[in-house]
Amino acid sequence: MAANILIVEDEESILELIAINLHQAGFNPIRALNAEYAENIIREALPDLIILDWMLPGMNGADFAKRVRSNSNTKSVPIIMLTAKSEEDDKLKGLDIGADDYMTKPFSPKELIARIKAVLRRKMPELVDEPISINGLTLDSNKHLLKNNNKTISI
Ligand code: CA
């Protein structure tokens, strides 16, 4: 099952860059250009992770993160914050907004994907570690199973 990743970013080129990279990595990207729209999306369906830009028009990323954390329905959704400058980064880390990770722009999409996988692996390993199949042999590390043509092999 592909993890649903909500991206909240007002710069469309960055939003699209992240979305394309997430899609290529096997995730299902959901796009939001501002925090208000992101709130509506979350109300409809909880994402598996939120990538959240700090500088947003209207409600900023830090305030949005606090709202997500203070709501009992959404408080456990992992958040990776994107910040533009190192000063903002420092300021943000000083604030207790409950983000799971931080990335400073400009960042490499590869690193972002790696961070997303690390956060998801910690929170929901079943979303990241898909069974590996080669020539009829399947290794499912979540269920600790090895199968040969769908028959479980005892190890
Ligand atoms: Ca921004």
Side-chain angles (χ1 to χ4, degrees), residues 69 76-81 98-102 119 122-123:
R69 284 288 171 268
S76 60
V77 179
I79 297 174
I80 297 178
M81 288 290 297
D100 295 84
D101 204 352
Y102 300 86
V119 170
R122 225 161 46 220
K123 303 253 171 174

Side-chain angles (χ1 to χ4, degrees), residues 134-138 146-153:
I134 303 165
N135 294 333
L137 275 179
T138 304
L146 182 63
K147 289 179 178 179
N148 185 6
N149 293 313
N150 277 328
K151 273 189 215 146
T152 303
I153 301 166

Side-chain angles (χ1 to χ4, degrees), residues 88-96 102 104:
E88 281 168 2
D89 197 37
D90 292 342
K91 193 162 66 181
L92 204 54
K93 281 176 183 166
L95 296 170
D96 186 20
Y102 300 86
T104 307

